[in-house]
Amino acid sequence: DAGVTQSPTHLIKTRGQQVTLRCSPKSGHDTVSWYQQALGQGPQFIFQYYEEEERQRGNFPDRFSGHQFPNYSSELNVNALLLGDSALYLCASSRRGQGRIRNIQYFGAGTRLSVL
Amino acid sequence: DQQVKQNSPSLSVQEGRISILNCDYTNSMFDYFLWYKKYPAEGPTFLISISSIKDKNEDGRFTVFLNKSAKHLSLHIVPSQPGDSAVYFCAAAYGSGNTGKLIFGQGTTLQVKP
């Protein structure tokens, strides 16, 4: 059973460019969340997708956008890259609709983005 | 505003001894807490969780304690093993049902010496 997979593993971009990161959730999961982890910090929530719609959003500018496809996979897009966008981007998947049972988020290995 | 704080950036313990990692939070709305472990070049791996209706949850060598009045939780690892050396993050969530937004602490690097 494949876990959460992310691509690419590493990416180098220059300021002002646009980037797209991809995530395939764990089998059986229908919800995808994206996090940004700066060096020495904990992951910060960007947004969450369920049923192809953004359901929750953290404190990130509109330059950060996403998409979820019918097969539950997801993309994170960042426009007009800034040096400060350099970070590890983590995707997490979970299964929704379990009532009072909390569903654990499982993480991929991340995409390391460097903006020069 | 850091709602979840791990005030110890690092911790070093001897193999076989107890490791205690601490986490404080400020938002009284949090009702679910998780611990994740992260090795270099890997994503965070779920370890153990606890609901706010409990004060303790145990899974093998790992036990999480929750003190709601103090807004404090801790992770105990007994006995500690060299393979436990990693960065540990606590995270918090609120709202019923599915876990939505997780709010993470800054992490504590645990080193277990043989």
Side-chain angles (χ1 to χ4, degrees):
Chain A
D1 175 26
V4 180
T5 57
Q6 293 186 242
S7 64
T9 308
H10 295 89
L11 207 48
I12 300 174
K13 293 286 187 178
T14 56
R15 278 183 303 173
Q17 284 190 311
Q18 179 263 343
V19 68
T20 298
L21 311 181
R22 295 176 175 82
C23 173
S24 292
K26 186 177 167 63
S27 177
H29 287 185
D30 55 10
T31 302
V32 173
S33 304
W34 287 92
Y35 292 81
Q36 180 195 66
Q37 186 180 11
L39 205 59
Q41 300 296 316
Q44 274 199 295
F45 179 78
I46 303 175
F47 42 54
Q48 183 179 81
Y49 276 82
Y50 172 66
E51 289 185 334
E52 303 180 45
E53 287 190 19
E54 183 182 297
R55 300 292 176 167
Q56 275 191 291
R57 190 178 182 93
N59 190 24
F60 279 81
D62 292 344
R63 297 187 298 109
F64 290 78
S65 63
H67 189 77
Q68 185 180 35
F69 299 93
N71 67 353
Y72 309 119
S73 67
S74 177
E75 288 182 350
L76 164 65
N77 301 294
V78 187
N79 294 324
L81 284 167
L82 303 174
L83 296 180
D85 295 331
S86 295
L88 179 68
Y89 288 85
L90 294 162
C91 169
S93 74
S94 57
R95 188 168 52 196
R96 201 175 180 91
Q98 297 292 307
R100 294 179 61 86
I101 298 173
R102 290 304 185 102
N103 298 316
I104 305 302
Q105 292 186 23
Y106 292 87
F107 284 81
T111 294
R112 173 71 63 186
L113 173 65
S114 298
V115 182
L116 306 178
Chain B
D1 177 28
Q2 191 75 25
Q3 297 186 68
V4 178
K5 294 182 181 180
Q6 295 176 255
N7 292 315
S8 299
S10 62
L11 175 67
S12 181
V13 301
Q14 208 64 38
E15 181 179 6
R17 306 295 290 269
I18 183 172
S19 295
I20 300 176
L21 296 102
N22 295 302
C23 180
D24 297 297
Y25 62 96
T26 57
N27 191 338
S28 57
M29 297 290 290
F30 290 143
D31 61 359
Y32 192 64
F33 303 89
L34 308 90
W35 283 94
Y36 284 86
K37 175 173 73 174
K38 188 178 186 302
Y39 294 118
E42 294 183 14
T45 303
F46 169 72
L47 268 178
I48 192 168
S49 63
I50 187 168
S51 165
S52 61
I53 62 173
K54 295 185 175 182
D55 54 18
K56 177 182 174 181
N57 189 26
E58 201 169 346
D59 184 2
R61 296 186 299 115
F62 302 92
T63 303
V64 56
F65 295 92
L66 175 62
N67 182 333
K68 283 175 56 181
S69 60
K71 294 190 176 67
H72 177 83
L73 66 155
S74 60
L75 175 68
H76 292 211
I77 306 174
V78 185
S80 301
Q81 300 173 353
D84 296 329
S85 298
V87 180
Y88 288 78
F89 293 98
C90 67
Y94 60 88
S96 60
N98 188 51
T99 51
K101 173 181 180 178
L102 290 179
I103 299 170
F104 283 84
Q106 310 96 305
T108 296
T109 300
L110 173 66
Q111 182 186 30
V112 181
K113 297 179 179 179

